[in-house]
Amino acid sequence: MKIERVDIVVTELAGRLQRTMSSGSYDTGPAGSPLGKPVLVRIHAEGVVGYGQVRPTAPGHFVPDTVHSVVSAIRDIYAPYLIGKRIFDLDQMWADFDLRLPFNSNARTAIDFALHDAIGKAVGLPAYSLIGGLCQPEIPLEWSISLGKTEQMVADAQRAVNEFGIGVLCLKAGGRGGWRQDVHNFEAVRAEVGSDVVVGVDPNTGWQVSETIAAMGALAQYGLGYIEQPVDRRDLAGLRRVRDAADGVPVMADESLFTLHDAYQLAVAEAVDVFCIKLYKTGGIRAAKRISAIAEAANIRINIGGLAVQSRLEAAAGAHFCASLPEQRVMPGAEFIFGLGVSGEDPLTVQADFTIHDGHVTVPGGPGLGVEVDEDAVAAHTISSDSVTEPA
């Protein structure tokens, strides 16, 4: 089945989400502005339409793609190349993308999702059946708590646990108050949610190695579940020092892990226990499966990250990837919960059974990503759109 047309649509969100981490603000932007809004890709191939969506996280985050760079990369480089190609030939597509415009992970992710959706629809199978099968039909979810005043962080934790039954919390850290304030925030949240909830900490590279070791020592009495990317993404030796001092607490790489080569370097350095694989930074499901193979070879577990803000399509892609991995290789929960209505409903999709129940979500079982898109809603929420029908 050959690709005939690629649509690139920037859409409005149901509401604005603002969060804070050590690197700055994370903002979906004001209504009407394209900055911070998701990019929807439709791939048309002989009667099949595959959908993919990703929300570029710049500015205010560590992934450099913006809405404008994603749209232009797809419209001007990737989509013209795709016209006339078979939807099944993913490896050749990615090899050719590397020759035309390397990296651009957000743009490639939207295309990757749309291709997996199209392939699944073409053969009548859910995406997970194409990439390893249904290892985890029920996926535990993780809730990320924004930096803020202690009482705000406690309230967010209360909502996650009491309203949605979440069993894994990730506290942002590395703020201006220093690591001692981060320990205070952790202590307050732990006192509120009790000992049964897994609570990790994520400084987003906001700590030095010495601060990290001191903070872990202080947090030990409160039951630290894991520590995510405490130091600079390039400091693999520092991550290894943290891991050596962690006394059994899993150390996770996030900002350090974008590519297959990053995964290899982390494994060689024996720097971490867990890879945080966020599909929007790896370039989608195809690349993430390759990274997961490195993890398996190095006995490194996998965390499925990514907020998927108000996008069931993006959350569904994360769910299919997670479902394709054996349960024992994954910890502690999947972070795509913010695509499931907790920060505002997805304005573009038809609600189905892809919802939170008792801190878990059931993987969509329909063909492709298993999420139905409402085209009338897409038209009503479109900020800008382009279509490509001619090959390069």
Side-chain angles (χ1 to χ4, degrees), residues 342-388:
V342 301
S343 63
E345 287 296 333
D346 182 347
L348 307 184
T349 62
V350 178
Q351 279 202 34
D353 58 353
F354 188 40
T355 55
I356 303 165
H357 50 90
D358 192 26
H360 291 68
V361 69
T362 302
V363 186
L369 297 181
V371 173
E372 182 181 353
V373 175
D374 183 341
E375 285 291 357
D376 290 336
V378 173
H381 288 83
T382 293
I383 296 174
S384 66
S385 64
D386 293 275
S387 291
V388 175

Side-chain angles (χ1 to χ4, degrees), residues 282-302:
T282 65
I285 295 170
R286 192 73 171 180
K289 289 295 290 187
R290 290 177 170 179
I291 290 172
S292 72
I294 296 287
E296 182 176 9
N299 197 28
I300 293 171
R301 286 188 290 175
I302 294 170

Side-chain angles (χ1 to χ4, degrees), residues 15-95:
R16 186 170 183 174
L17 177 67
Q18 296 172 294
R19 305 178 77 249
T20 302
M21 61 191 72
S22 64
S23 59
S25 63
Y26 179 94
D27 192 346
T28 57
S33 168
L35 196 64
K37 301 304 190 297
V39 179
L40 177 75
V41 170
R42 297 189 201 92
I43 290 180
H44 302 258
E46 300 182 33
V48 170
V49 181
Y51 293 87
Q53 189 177 43
V54 67
R55 192 191 76 81
T57 53
H61 205 41
F62 62 91
V63 181
D65 302 87
T66 69
V67 170
H68 303 296
S69 70
V70 169
V71 169
S72 62
I74 299 173
R75 181 192 60 215
D76 301 334
I77 308 295
Y78 297 143
Y81 162 81
L82 288 171
I83 301 302
K85 301 296 190 296
R86 292 178 0 117
I87 58 175
F88 304 99
D89 297 337
L90 299 181
D91 279 358
Q92 189 63 58
M93 291 176 186
W94 257 238

Side-chain angles (χ1 to χ4, degrees), residues 148-156 158 185 188:
K149 295 181 179 179
T150 303
E151 57 269 24
Q152 294 172 325
M153 298 180 74
V154 169
D156 201 9
Q158 289 174 319
N185 295 339

Side-chain angles (χ1 to χ4, degrees), residues 17 57 115-116 177 195 218 242 259 295 298 350 358:
L17 177 67
T57 53
L115 286 168
H116 279 87
S195 59
V242 169
T259 68
V350 178
D358 192 26

Side-chain angles (χ1 to χ4, degrees), residues 309-358:
V309 174
Q310 296 171 27
S311 174
R312 273 191 171 80
L313 278 167
E314 192 174 350
H320 283 276
F321 170 62
C322 187
S324 74
L325 300 170
E327 182 178 356
Q328 60 267 31
R329 292 184 55 204
V330 178
M331 67 80 67
E335 196 190 24
F336 54 74
I337 187 170
F338 286 83
L340 300 173
V342 301
S343 63
E345 287 296 333
D346 182 347
L348 307 184
T349 62
V350 178
Q351 279 202 34
D353 58 353
F354 188 40
T355 55
I356 303 165
H357 50 90
D358 192 26

